[in-house]
Amino acid sequence: DFKTIADFRAKNTEAIRSVFKEFTLLCKGLDLFGAETVAIDGSKFRASNAKKRSFTEKKLTKSLKEIESKIDDYMAELDQNDQNEADIPKLSAKELKEKIDVLKTRKDSYEGLLKEMQEENKGDISLTDPDARLNG
């Protein structure tokens, strides 16, 4: 990331200057440029990231609780459907199982992200752009 590069540059200023000097002399010796223009790229780009693909510990914890609640609701609905076989269920057992599987997969993913955030001591994590951070 930019901080790593900035730190490296700050710690190795003289070595970098020497490399630039030698590279310039090499290019001149090989007649690779006319020495007419010097340009430096100082471009800055704003990170782009969708809020749906950025997570904080609070957001992950809330999402995990919501998933647990939905799984409990679906399990209760399955139990209710078992007891009321004559009634037409809102969702079939197969549909409920599919929904539970999707939620469990999402739960595993969120738990992995939460663990990664805690291990790396990060306040947030972005799936789209790892360098992007949430504002606020």
Side-chain angles (χ1 to χ4, degrees):
D1 65 355
F2 76 95
K3 182 73 171 127
T4 303
I5 294 169
D7 289 345
F8 178 82
R9 214 175 47 241
K11 291 177 184 175
N12 298 289
T13 304
E14 289 305 314
I16 292 171
R17 285 178 190 258
S18 295
V19 169
F20 285 164
K21 181 179 176 183
E22 291 299 319
F23 181 73
T24 302
L25 292 173
L26 173 70
C27 290
K28 276 185 173 184
L30 296 173
D31 200 26
L32 295 177
F33 52 76
E36 297 165 356
T37 304
V38 174
I40 298 174
D41 182 7
S43 301
K44 291 185 179 184
F45 299 94
R46 183 180 168 111
S48 176
N49 191 44
K51 285 192 176 191
K52 286 184 177 181
R53 296 194 41 84
S54 291
F55 298 95
T56 61
E57 186 171 347
K58 182 179 177 181
K59 184 176 176 181
L60 284 171
T61 302
K62 180 181 175 187
S63 294
L64 286 169
K65 284 180 184 177
E66 289 172 359
I67 288 171
E68 284 292 331
S69 175
K70 285 182 182 179
I71 289 173
D72 290 343
D73 291 345
Y74 289 141
M75 295 300 285
E77 192 171 338
L78 278 173
D79 290 341
Q80 185 66 33
N81 287 345
D82 288 344
Q83 292 174 4
N84 303 322
E85 284 183 299
D87 294 339
I88 300 173
K90 293 178 185 174
L91 293 173
S92 70
K94 180 181 177 185
E95 291 170 325
L96 286 171
K97 183 174 179 345
E98 289 171 356
K99 288 186 176 278
I100 290 170
D101 289 343
V102 168
L103 288 172
K104 284 183 177 179
T105 300
R106 190 178 308 152
K107 178 184 172 192
D108 291 343
S109 174
Y110 287 176
E111 286 174 340
L113 291 172
L114 187 59
K115 182 179 178 184
E116 180 182 341
M117 283 175 50
Q118 291 169 343
E119 286 175 355
E120 296 179 14
N121 199 25
K122 291 183 176 180
D124 60 21
I125 193 167
S126 168
L127 302 179
T128 304
D129 183 353
D131 292 332
R133 295 290 173 252
L134 291 174
N135 292 334

